[in-house]
Amino acid sequence: MATAELSAFRASALHFLSDPGSEGSAQSLQYFADALLVVEDGRVKALGEARDLLPTLPEGTRISDYSGRLIMPGFIDTHIHYSQTDIIASPGRDLLHWLAHYTFPAERNFAELTHAREVAEFFLDELLRNGTTTALVFGTVHKQSMDAFFDAARARNLRMVAGKVLMDRNCPEYLMGSPESGYRESAELMEKWNGTGRLNYAITPRFAITSSEEQLRQAGKLAREFPDAHIHSHLAENEGEVAWARMLFPWSRSYLDIYDRLGLLRNRAVYAHCIHLDEQDRGRMTESGAAAAFCPTSNLFLGSGLFDLAAADRAGFRVAIGTDVGGGTSFSMLRTLSEAYKVSQLRGHTLSPMRAFYLATLGGAAALGLEDRIGSFMPNREADFVVLDCQSTPLLARRMAAASTLEERLFLLMTLGDDRAIVQTHILGQPMIG
Ligand code: GUN
Ligand code: FE
């Protein structure tokens, strides 16, 4: 039998055991100023004080010394479009204008496999450069866009969840599928990729506006046939969109009710935005086990509205963070947390840094139903982690020197930090940058 491969990483370390809630309870996290993270065969073997764990290591164990840096579980981005990498920072009047003018034409290019492959490689490089180790990803309507993406993610051994977009109306002819083709191609991709390596498949209707009732029914049928599959869509992002959706489905009580009645609300269903919901909708989110991806940079950039985190907390449904690139303006989860804080300020409640980093790690894992595999340093979790430099710029270093608590340091990191703070990203213990 081959001996297990053991490695260890010395740094400060932070991870979450549960949701710290809006008050940021300290019992929900573990922090070690001088920690050792021990990894065996790509999984967490132990995390603790370096002085306790160092003597337990077999002689010759490789120790990566990141002293002075901070390690955390890799960031989990619960809503992003790989196919929109090249239209990030394209100014639209609003969501529907932006979709028609930039998004649909850009997605057309993914009919070509070589283009899809090239973008997938760049996209994954960019995620890793920003410390993101898992993402829930929209492809395009083209089946080969998913083969390209999954191939690229598989080659790097990444834990990714993604799916082919379903559309059969209210989009250009060149992106239009049908209920039957959407069902068949999704099922084929699911059989091929779901559970291959670390990959999972998400049933991905774009939103209620671009799917006929029959296509959403077929998506619901897929969801029943594949009870472990993820579901990924957009919901209640923009007021014009909400009004249009209600018109297209006159029987619906609300926008969310469309997905609900067609069997698309459940555990492992992640809905981006969820801004314009009422209390009954929020209650259904909670009962069904679905999660909301809060995408602040996108919501501000497209002028969509302000996500109500306090209302989500009162209702008790799962929330995680999405960059929503290319409607969102940054691949960086640090930049995204900073904007999430500002949106919360405008809503009149606060987002503690503890909660923010929970949402970006274990909270994301919980939204994806993957918290037993990723999102924390509990024993046996997959060792995907990020190494952060809390002094990555002169200003951050200067401001950090005046911070005395962990909470202050985390707040500075999310408010002033960006990709420059990412020193290294490890996948199953292996360094991926450089
Ligand atoms: N709603 C439907 N499609 C999209 C998209 O591509 N981006 C965003 N932000 N919202 C959408
Ligand atoms: Fe989106």
Side-chain angles (χ1 to χ4, degrees):
M1 210 175 84
T3 45
E5 193 186 322
L6 203 65
S7 54
F9 304 85
R10 187 171 187 172
S12 302
L14 170 72
H15 74 137
F16 292 87
L17 307 171
S18 61
D19 186 344
S22 52
E23 302 303 313
S25 147
Q27 278 84 49
S28 59
L29 64 84
Q30 270 192 319
Y31 174 74
F32 302 96
D34 182 15
L36 200 71
L37 175 68
V38 184
V39 173
E40 186 174 57
D41 291 335
R43 289 171 180 263
V44 175
K45 187 170 162 64
L47 173 73
E49 300 286 357
R51 66 168 182 273
D52 297 336
L53 288 175
L54 281 170
T56 68
L57 295 179
E59 203 160 320
T61 303
R62 188 164 42 87
I63 301 175
S64 303
D65 190 0
Y66 287 125
S67 294
R69 315 287 205 205
L70 172 65
I71 59 179
M72 260 190 238
F75 299 132
I76 298 173
D77 184 341
T78 56
H79 180 67
I80 187 164
H81 302 251
Y82 102 84
S83 50
Q84 294 174 13
T85 302
D86 290 329
I87 52 151
I88 190 170
S90 297
R93 231 178 12 243
D94 60 20
L95 167 67
L96 299 171
H97 173 268
W98 176 85
L99 282 175
H101 284 260
Y102 304 107
T103 314
F104 292 151
E107 293 189 5
R108 181 180 203 171
N109 298 329
F110 288 72
E112 248 185 76
L113 186 61
T114 49
H115 177 74
R117 284 198 170 130
E118 192 273 326
V119 177
E121 296 294 345
F122 180 90
F123 173 85
L124 294 176
D125 283 345
E126 197 62 18
L127 286 185
L128 292 169
R129 235 174 49 70
N130 281 280
T132 299
T133 50
T134 289
L136 176 58
V137 180
F138 257 71
T140 66
V141 292
H142 312 96
K143 192 179 171 202
Q144 61 269 36
S145 78
M146 294 326 301
D147 283 325
F149 178 80
F150 282 131
D151 265 332
R154 176 84 201 276
R156 299 174 194 226
N157 230 346
L158 302 177
R159 183 164 282 290
M160 289 283 155
V161 187
K164 167 202 136 67
V165 173
L166 301 171
M167 290 201 274
D168 70 348
R169 66 168 162 175
N170 296 319
C171 66
E173 193 66 43
Y174 57 75
L175 291 179
M176 195 135 13
S178 68
E180 298 72 30
S181 68
Y183 174 87
R184 179 173 32 82
E185 293 179 356
S186 299
E188 286 166 2
L189 286 164
M190 181 99 66
E191 301 283 4
K192 179 168 177 191
W193 293 110
N194 196 37
T196 296
R198 305 176 73 205
L199 305 173
N200 285 107
Y201 192 79
I203 301 160
T204 309
R206 175 168 225 122
F207 61 165
I209 287 171
T210 45
S211 285
S212 63
E213 185 167 329
E214 182 51 25
Q215 187 169 62
L216 292 182
R217 268 189 209 294
Q218 294 294 319
K221 179 166 178 265
L222 275 171
R224 281 195 307 282
E225 290 167 355
F226 298 93
D228 292 340
H230 291 81
I231 298 169
H232 186 196
S233 191
H234 297 91
L235 168 62
E237 175 175 6
N238 163 292
E239 280 173 355
E241 171 214 10
V242 176
W244 193 6
R246 296 293 315 286
M247 224 166 67
L248 292 170
F249 295 87
W251 48 259
S252 63
R253 192 202 67 80
S254 67
Y255 189 167
L256 175 137
D257 188 48
I258 301 167
Y259 297 133
D260 195 5
R261 290 223 232 160
L262 295 169
L264 295 167
L265 230 56
R266 67 172 188 197
N267 276 326
R268 292 193 167 202
V270 178
Y271 284 92
H273 312 302
C274 298
I275 296 169
H276 307 284
L277 300 183
D278 63 20
E279 284 313 303
Q280 206 169 323
D281 292 334
R282 291 191 177 94
R284 282 298 300 145
M285 288 292 289
T286 308
E287 283 165 10
S288 66
F294 175 14
C295 305
T297 73
S298 169
N299 299 159
L300 295 170
F301 184 70
L302 294 174
S304 302
L306 305 173
F307 179 74
D308 193 338
L309 183 59
D313 286 345
R314 277 195 303 276
F317 62 85
R318 292 194 186 101
V319 176
I321 302 288
T323 59
D324 193 25
V325 165
T329 50
S330 177
F331 277 80
S332 167
M333 289 291 275
L334 296 175
R335 304 299 327 115
T336 307
L337 293 182
S338 173
E339 299 308 292
Y341 175 84
K342 294 173 195 170
V343 166
S344 298
Q345 288 290 97
L346 284 168
R347 274 282 183 187
H349 51 260
T350 194
L351 172 61
S352 76
M354 307 303 192
R355 185 86 191 292
F357 280 97
Y358 163 80
L359 292 176
T361 55
L362 186 59
L368 296 175
L370 294 171
E371 68 273 30
D372 56 348
R373 293 173 183 267
I374 54 171
S376 82
F377 291 138
M378 295 286 281
N380 224 28
R381 296 298 186 279
E382 297 163 355
D384 291 351
F385 60 92
V386 56
V387 184
L388 293 146
D389 176 4
C390 295
Q391 281 106 20
S392 60
T393 69
L395 180 63
L396 192 52
R398 182 182 176 92
R399 186 65 184 81
M400 209 50 92
S404 54
T405 65
L406 174 64
E407 188 166 0
E408 279 178 84
R409 293 199 296 279
L410 290 175
F411 189 73
L412 292 175
L413 184 61
M414 73 185 229
T415 305
L416 298 174
D418 54 27
D419 55 333
R420 289 169 290 182
I422 310 302
V423 174
Q424 188 52 272
T425 302
H426 287 261
I427 296 295
L428 299 177
Q430 301 298 322
M432 300 297 281
I433 304 178

